[in-house]
Short mmCIF file of all heavy atoms in Angstrom, two decimals:
data_model
loop_
_atom_site.label_atom_id
_atom_site.label_comp_id
_atom_site.label_asym_id
_atom_site.label_seq_id
_atom_site.Cartn_x
_atom_site.Cartn_y
_atom_site.Cartn_z
N SER A 249 12.83 -8.53 -21.47
CA SER A 249 12.57 -9.55 -22.49
C SER A 249 13.75 -10.51 -22.53
O SER A 249 14.88 -10.10 -22.28
CB SER A 249 12.38 -8.92 -23.87
OG SER A 249 11.32 -8.02 -23.90
N PRO A 250 13.51 -11.79 -22.82
CA PRO A 250 14.63 -12.72 -22.98
C PRO A 250 15.56 -12.23 -24.07
O PRO A 250 15.12 -11.73 -25.12
CB PRO A 250 13.94 -14.03 -23.37
CG PRO A 250 12.53 -13.89 -22.90
CD PRO A 250 12.21 -12.42 -23.01
N GLU A 251 16.88 -12.34 -23.85
CA GLU A 251 17.85 -11.84 -24.81
C GLU A 251 17.70 -12.54 -26.16
O GLU A 251 17.59 -13.76 -26.26
CB GLU A 251 19.27 -12.06 -24.27
CG GLU A 251 20.30 -11.18 -24.92
CD GLU A 251 21.55 -11.02 -24.04
OE1 GLU A 251 21.65 -11.70 -23.02
OE2 GLU A 251 22.39 -10.20 -24.42
N GLY A 252 17.61 -11.74 -27.21
CA GLY A 252 17.45 -12.28 -28.55
C GLY A 252 16.06 -12.76 -28.88
O GLY A 252 15.85 -13.39 -29.92
N SER A 253 15.08 -12.44 -28.01
CA SER A 253 13.72 -12.90 -28.21
C SER A 253 12.80 -11.70 -28.43
O SER A 253 13.04 -10.61 -27.92
CB SER A 253 13.25 -13.70 -27.00
OG SER A 253 11.87 -13.98 -27.09
N SER A 254 11.75 -11.92 -29.19
CA SER A 254 10.75 -10.88 -29.42
C SER A 254 9.66 -10.86 -28.34
O SER A 254 8.78 -10.03 -28.35
CB SER A 254 10.10 -11.05 -30.81
OG SER A 254 9.45 -12.33 -30.87
N GLU A 255 9.73 -11.85 -27.45
CA GLU A 255 8.73 -11.94 -26.39
C GLU A 255 9.04 -10.93 -25.28
O GLU A 255 10.10 -10.34 -25.23
CB GLU A 255 8.71 -13.36 -25.81
CG GLU A 255 8.28 -14.41 -26.84
CD GLU A 255 8.25 -15.80 -26.22
OE1 GLU A 255 8.67 -15.93 -25.04
OE2 GLU A 255 7.83 -16.74 -26.90
N GLY A 256 8.08 -10.78 -24.36
CA GLY A 256 8.28 -9.88 -23.23
C GLY A 256 7.81 -8.49 -23.52
O GLY A 256 6.97 -8.25 -24.39
N PHE A 257 8.40 -7.49 -22.80
CA PHE A 257 7.93 -6.13 -22.87
C PHE A 257 8.69 -5.29 -23.90
O PHE A 257 8.36 -4.13 -24.11
CB PHE A 257 8.06 -5.47 -21.50
CG PHE A 257 7.04 -5.94 -20.51
CD1 PHE A 257 7.10 -5.53 -19.19
CD2 PHE A 257 6.01 -6.78 -20.90
CE1 PHE A 257 6.16 -5.96 -18.26
CE2 PHE A 257 5.06 -7.23 -19.99
CZ PHE A 257 5.14 -6.81 -18.66
N GLY A 258 9.73 -5.83 -24.51
CA GLY A 258 10.46 -5.07 -25.50
C GLY A 258 11.56 -4.21 -24.90
O GLY A 258 11.78 -4.18 -23.69
N ASN A 259 12.26 -3.50 -25.76
CA ASN A 259 13.38 -2.65 -25.33
C ASN A 259 12.85 -1.42 -24.60
O ASN A 259 12.05 -0.66 -25.12
CB ASN A 259 14.17 -2.22 -26.58
CG ASN A 259 15.48 -1.53 -26.22
OD1 ASN A 259 15.63 -0.95 -25.15
ND2 ASN A 259 16.45 -1.63 -27.12
N SER A 260 13.36 -1.21 -23.36
CA SER A 260 12.88 -0.11 -22.55
C SER A 260 13.32 1.26 -23.09
O SER A 260 12.82 2.29 -22.65
CB SER A 260 13.39 -0.25 -21.09
OG SER A 260 14.80 -0.22 -21.05
N LYS A 261 14.27 1.27 -24.07
CA LYS A 261 14.74 2.52 -24.65
C LYS A 261 14.12 2.81 -26.01
O LYS A 261 14.41 3.81 -26.64
CB LYS A 261 16.25 2.49 -24.78
CG LYS A 261 16.98 2.39 -23.41
CD LYS A 261 18.48 2.39 -23.60
CE LYS A 261 19.19 2.28 -22.25
NZ LYS A 261 20.67 2.26 -22.39
N GLU A 262 13.23 1.90 -26.43
CA GLU A 262 12.59 2.06 -27.74
C GLU A 262 11.16 2.59 -27.54
O GLU A 262 10.30 1.89 -27.01
CB GLU A 262 12.57 0.73 -28.48
CG GLU A 262 11.99 0.80 -29.87
CD GLU A 262 11.99 -0.56 -30.55
OE1 GLU A 262 12.87 -1.39 -30.21
OE2 GLU A 262 11.13 -0.77 -31.40
N ALA A 263 10.93 3.83 -27.96
CA ALA A 263 9.63 4.46 -27.77
C ALA A 263 8.53 3.62 -28.38
O ALA A 263 8.66 3.08 -29.49
CB ALA A 263 9.64 5.85 -28.39
N GLY A 264 7.42 3.51 -27.66
CA GLY A 264 6.26 2.75 -28.14
C GLY A 264 6.16 1.35 -27.60
O GLY A 264 5.07 0.78 -27.61
N THR A 265 7.25 0.79 -27.11
CA THR A 265 7.17 -0.56 -26.53
C THR A 265 6.58 -0.51 -25.13
O THR A 265 6.56 0.53 -24.47
CB THR A 265 8.58 -1.21 -26.45
OG1 THR A 265 9.37 -0.46 -25.50
CG2 THR A 265 9.27 -1.20 -27.81
#
Side-chain angles (χ1 to χ4, degrees):
S249 301
E251 200 158 7
S253 171
S254 61
E255 297 181 354
F257 287 173
N259 190 333
S260 62
K261 297 181 180 180
E262 183 180 332
T265 66

